[in-house]
Amino acid sequence: MGAEAPCVAHFNGVTSEGKAQLETDFLLFRGEFRVKVLFKEIQDIAVIDGTLSIQSGQGTLRLDLGPAAAKWLQKIQNPPSLMEKLGIKADSAVSVVGIHDRNFLVALESLTGNAKTNPRKDQDVTLLGLESQEDLKQVAAAAAKLAPAGALWLVWPKGQKHITESQVMAAGKSVGLVDTKIASFSTTHTAMKFVIPKAKRP
């Protein structure tokens, strides 16, 4: 989702100004205190007079978001599907390399019916699975096949030391791409989106 807003937060009797950030599967507030609430941990949620109230095992977090509160509530209650997060539509030209998540592959085939298992020229979306340092060498080839406004998603295991977020980011930038978004791909993997900078698109 990637929404963020300055606001006043109230949490277990403490109040602070700061910034609230809404991601695909959690909400984060940073101010004089820091609170991260996973959507799956939410016990109750409501909007009253422009305040988003979220109850979890940590306590009750209230965010004074004004008119945006209702929109945030809607996004939390109806999170986007993985395909929506990845920007994949029925008519998208998609390549998938090194992704072995069967549920994802079945859903992708059901939606598009024409996903390729190797990078093709002018792809709208390419997903490249990175399980080792050696896999990072494939980033350049995948980037070269993107359509001008296409997206390259690099997918790697969460919380692993043998391949890290900083290494994935560096690999994308080393071939002239810019990172624009990060999303949870599954319970075990994270995905980072890279695109060709607008100034360099043909």
Side-chain angles (χ1 to χ4, degrees):
M1 295 181 222
E4 62 179 35
C7 66
V8 174
H10 315 271
F11 183 62
N12 295 344
V14 182
T15 298
S16 171
E17 293 184 354
K19 181 175 289 186
Q21 183 178 341
L22 184 64
E23 294 298 339
T24 54
D25 55 1
F26 68 88
L27 184 147
L28 175 66
F29 174 80
R30 291 191 184 96
E32 294 180 17
F33 54 82
R34 182 183 186 276
V35 183
K36 180 178 180 179
V37 182
L38 300 177
F39 291 171
K40 63 183 180 181
E41 297 175 346
I42 294 176
Q43 299 170 351
D44 190 33
I45 185 169
V47 169
I48 303 174
D49 297 330
T51 295
L52 179 65
S53 178
I54 301 172
Q55 183 177 335
S56 70
Q58 303 177 62
T60 299
L61 174 65
R62 292 184 292 117
L63 303 174
D64 297 334
L65 293 167
K71 295 179 181 178
W72 283 39
L73 173 65
Q74 179 70 14
K75 289 182 177 181
I76 292 171
Q77 292 181 323
N78 301 281
S81 68
L82 178 57
M83 297 302 166
E84 290 171 330
K85 289 191 290 185
L86 298 175
I88 298 175
K89 302 177 182 178
D91 60 350
S92 297
V94 183
S95 287
V96 181
V97 182
I99 303 289
H100 307 292
D101 186 310
R102 178 167 175 76
N103 290 336
F104 169 75
L105 295 175
V106 169
L108 177 62
E109 182 64 23
S110 176
L111 176 63
T112 68
N114 66 349
K116 308 302 181 184
T117 56
N118 60 324
R120 302 292 183 93
K121 187 173 176 58
D122 293 330
Q123 292 297 276
D124 298 315
V125 180
T126 294
L127 294 105
L128 177 60
L130 306 173
E131 298 293 332
S132 68
Q133 291 288 319
E134 188 69 18
D135 292 339
L136 292 171
K137 298 177 181 178
Q138 301 180 53
V139 173
K145 299 292 182 67
L146 283 178
L152 172 61
W153 286 92
L154 301 182
V155 183
W156 76 99
K158 295 179 179 178
Q160 299 297 311
K161 294 182 179 180
H162 68 278
I163 184 166
T164 65
E165 179 178 323
S166 60
Q167 291 169 337
V168 171
M169 184 178 295
K173 291 184 176 181
S174 71
V175 296
L177 303 180
V178 293
D179 60 295
T180 61
K181 184 178 181 181
I182 192 166
S184 176
F185 182 80
S186 67
T187 57
T188 59
H189 286 68
T190 297
M192 186 178 295
K193 179 182 179 181
F194 290 86
V195 299
I196 300 170
K198 289 184 178 181
K200 295 184 179 180
R201 296 177 188 175

